[in-house]
Structures are given as C-alpha cells and as structure tokens.
Amino acid sequence: MPGPVKILGVDDEPDFELLITQRFRRHIRDGEFAFQFAHHGEEALALLDDDPEIELMLLDINMPVMDGLTLLTHLRERQSSVRAIMVSAYGDMANLRTAMNRGAFDFVTKPVDFSDLEITMRKTLADIAKLREVERQRAAAERARSNLSRYFSPNIVEMLAAQDEPLGAVRRQTVAVMFLDIVGFTRMSETMEPEAVVTMLREFHERMTAQIFACGGTVEKYIGDEIFAVFGIPTASENDAANALICAEMMLTALDRWNEERQAKGETPLAIGIGLNYGPAVLGDVGSEHSMSFTVIGDTVNTASRLQGLTRTLETPLVVGDALINAARTAPADAAPTLLDHLQDRGEQALRGRAGAVRIWTRDRTPVPNSGP
C-alpha cells in the first residue's frame, strides 16, 4: 500500500503550520498526507535535499533569507520534479505571472479558502500522478527496447518500436544471407561440461553478432552454434552484398583475436565456416497469433546454408556465391574491392539437395581443418 503524499509548507508566518495541520488533521491521521514545514527558501532546499520523495510544495512569496520566487528559480535550475502551489497575499498579476513563468503549478491567495486549497492540491497531485505514469510507461518502453536489443539487431528493434504492425505483409526482397558456425562444435561439446559449452557459445555469439550489427546486418536466428544473418532488412540497399562480405572478414579477424586470448588461457583455438549468398527471398511472419516469428525463406537462404556446409569439404573458412560477388563488385562500399582480391574462383560446385550447380569463391586464408559438423 502506498505511503502518504509528502507535502512541504514553506511560509514564515507563525500560525501557518498550525492552520495547515488543523485543517488537514483527518488526512494526516488517515495516512493520506504527511507535512513538513520550512520558514524560508534555503531551509526548504535543505529539506528537499534530505527527502527527495517530497512531491508538493505550498509556497509563500514574501519570506526572509530566500523568498518564494527565488526558490522557484533554484528549483528550475535543479530540474526538480516537486510541484509548487503559491499561497500568498501577493496575488497581483505581476507576481502571479512571475511565479508561473518560474514553474509554479497554481496560485491560491491569502486569506486562504481551505476548500479551494484542497481542490487545488488534489488537482496538482493528479497531475503529478499522471506525469509519474508517463514516466513509468517511458521506463517500461526503455526496458522493453533494451530487452528486444538482446535478441534483435538495432534496425529491427527500431522497426518494432516505431510501428504498430512493423513487419507488414509478406514480401519478396533481394537480400544478402549469411550462415556461420563453429567447426567441430558437436564433437567439442561432447567432451565439455554443459556450463562451459554455454559460456563459449555466449562469447561466440556476442563477438560475431557485434560484427553483424556493425555492418548493418540482422540476426535472423541462432541455431545452437550456428548464426543465420541477413543484410538488407528492413530496407534493401546496394551495399548489402558488400556489407555481408566485409562482415565475414571482420568475423575472421575477430576470431583471430579471440583465439589469441584462448591460447593465452590454455584453451583450444576455434575455427569457423561462413557461407554467403545474394538474391531474392521471401520475408514475413510465421507462427500463430500467440507466438509470431519474423523469418526469411527461399532458395537464396537454402543455398547460403549449403555454401556454409562446403567450408568443411573445401577446407576454407569462407564460401561465397557468385551472385554476391557480382553485387559486391558494383557496390559503392570502399572496402569490398580490396576484399574481393583475396577470394579465389573455385568454379561451379554441385550442392546437396539442389539441382543446379553454383559458381563459388573461397577465402585465400589458412585452411580450416576438416573436423566434421
């Protein structure tokens, strides 16, 4: 159950405290209001520092040491959330406008009509409650966005947050597709403690996903040690193929750094296999009304997965479909031409489960050992 609303009365008149506590004695007794009192602005600031839960202030204008209008200026400079109701005999338009311009919420003139004061206090407290609810919703939205960012790339998070129906109708779109995994992961995990496997996977996903996000890609899903990523969602661009190729190079560099750290700790170095392809795919939601998932499907995706499998057979960390090479050659991205120089044309290759052969390119790099899936 919430505690009483904390209210600060700031007035140098000796009977002010007595009048307030008598008029609101039932509210105090019932735990609805809790009053504190100060005799000038400096004393009020000290009380606000000591108790940041004070929400409402009943504030006189004419006081010694620091007057009410000066106090309002200090509160505004501090960006204080406390709401002030001016309770003063100085009810002329000049004082009223000055008080409002400095952040006062409302104005009650002396001698005080306590019924009017209570109505004004409740109106002010209702506004405070409304602002608190807005802040709660904003904080909840930020938490939701933060949670989404753990599972989706930044561009998908922005799309989910900005629209009521963010993913839209099923559509066909040209994208770059990437599959990658750890070579020999199945055999490796058989000899490791489950906790160690999860720790290694988390670090692998974190390092590789950072490269995907840096290149504008989206993680479509994690499948054990495998990562399925797409470049060109939600909006396709002429750089998608080049960005995928740049990302693959960044991943191999990140892997080298990680392996140096692993070897320094006496851990076995890892190898990865990456398959890249480019072409049309179907994008949209799958699932039921209770659980929806955004997915990318089609021959382009299937081929990318098969190309990733070829990294074992060809003992290379990277296999790229010719369609992606052609698209990367014409892209404006500066780094792509340099990376293309490190690729070798391996000609037409038959892929398991696919009728037509695909021309492929592989990375000119230290071969990946054929360690099985």
Side-chain angles (χ1 to χ4, degrees):
M1 184 175 180
V5 176
K6 294 188 176 182
I7 304 170
L8 176 60
V10 188
D11 197 312
D12 65 325
E13 293 186 7
D15 60 345
F16 179 75
E17 180 174 347
L18 179 61
L19 288 172
I20 291 294
T21 53
Q22 285 183 343
R23 175 59 180 80
F24 294 103
R25 61 185 180 279
R26 179 176 59 82
H27 306 80
I28 296 170
R29 184 181 66 247
D30 293 343
E32 183 180 3
F33 297 157
F35 287 92
Q36 298 183 59
F37 296 93
H39 301 97
H40 52 75
E42 285 190 0
E43 190 176 343
L45 288 175
L47 286 172
L48 289 171
D49 288 338
D50 290 339
D51 191 348
E53 293 184 357
I54 293 173
E55 298 180 272
L56 178 61
M57 183 184 299
L58 306 179
L59 179 60
D60 193 13
I61 291 179
N62 188 25
M63 296 179 292
V65 186
M66 181 187 290
D67 63 70
L69 297 178
T70 303
L71 175 57
L72 286 176
T73 300
H74 282 282
L75 294 176
R76 185 171 59 183
E77 291 172 351
R78 293 182 174 198
Q79 298 182 331
S80 174
S81 61
V82 67
R83 286 287 184 270
I85 299 174
M86 307 307 295
V87 184
S88 176
Y90 293 85
D92 58 278
M93 183 58 67
N95 277 313
L96 190 152
R97 286 184 60 83
T98 300
M100 293 302 187
N101 288 337
R102 296 187 185 184
F105 184 81
D106 212 328
F107 204 106
V108 174
T109 58
K110 292 180 178 179
V112 177
D113 179 336
F114 281 98
S115 295
D116 179 53
L117 176 60
E118 183 175 350
I119 291 171
T120 304
M121 289 169 58
R122 293 196 180 280
K123 181 179 68 172
T124 309
L125 292 172
D127 182 75
I128 293 171
K130 187 183 300 182
L131 289 174
R132 188 186 297 119
E133 175 61 19
V134 169
E135 176 60 24
R136 187 196 65 78
Q137 292 178 0
R138 185 201 63 76
E142 286 300 318
R143 285 195 303 273
R145 185 185 293 259
S146 177
N147 287 334
L148 282 173
S149 67
R150 298 178 184 178
Y151 299 95
F152 300 98
S153 58
N155 48 0
I156 291 294
V157 171
E158 291 303 316
M159 185 172 63
L160 288 169
Q163 304 178 38
D164 293 331
E165 296 181 2
L167 303 179
V170 173
R171 63 191 185 277
R172 179 183 289 261
Q173 189 166 304
T174 300
V175 295
V177 180
M178 169 188 286
F179 281 87
L180 73 144
D181 68 357
I182 299 173
V183 175
F185 174 76
T186 301
R187 294 180 182 176
M188 189 185 312
S189 60
E190 289 176 354
T191 60
M192 297 173 62
E193 293 295 327
E195 295 80 5
V197 173
V198 171
T199 298
M200 183 180 71
L201 278 181
R202 284 178 174 170
E203 190 165 0
F204 171 65
H205 288 158
E206 180 178 349
R207 290 172 182 265
M208 297 301 114
T209 299
Q211 313 313 315
I212 294 169
F213 289 176
C215 294
T218 295
V219 175
E220 211 279 344
K221 60 172 63 76
Y222 299 107
I223 312 166
D225 66 313
E226 185 175 69
I227 302 175
F228 171 18
V230 183
F231 298 78
I233 297 176
T235 305
S237 82
E238 55 190 353
N239 278 325
D240 293 333
N243 287 341
L245 192 59
I246 292 168
C247 182
E249 184 67 23
M250 290 171 61
M251 286 175 164
L252 294 172
T253 301
L255 179 68
D256 288 342
R257 291 196 296 265
W258 188 23
N259 278 333
E260 289 175 2
E261 295 175 18
R262 290 179 61 84
Q263 287 181 303
K265 295 187 292 185
E267 297 173 341
T268 304
L270 301 176
I272 61 174
I274 306 171
L276 298 177
N277 197 28
Y278 184 77
V282 175
L283 287 62
D285 294 332
V286 295
S288 69
E289 60 178 325
H290 302 293
S291 178
M292 298 296 292
S293 174
F294 182 68
T295 191
V296 182
I297 58 176
D299 180 64
T300 298
V301 177
N302 297 337
T303 300
S305 179
R306 298 291 186 265
L307 294 177
Q308 191 268 337
L310 272 183
T311 59
R312 303 324 197 245
T313 305
L314 301 178
E315 297 186 345
T316 177
L318 175 63
V319 176
V320 187
D322 192 56
L324 189 138
I325 297 297
N326 292 332
R329 280 199 178 105
T330 60
D334 294 334
T338 303
L339 297 178
L340 290 170
D341 293 340
H342 296 285
L343 298 177
Q344 295 179 330
D345 185 352
R346 303 294 290 267
E348 300 281 333
Q349 294 282 335
L351 302 179
R352 179 172 56 87
R354 195 175 190 277
V358 176
R359 184 182 179 186
I360 67 164
W361 299 70
T362 59
R363 181 72 167 88
D364 181 15
R365 191 181 173 90
T366 303
V368 174
N370 188 2
S371 304

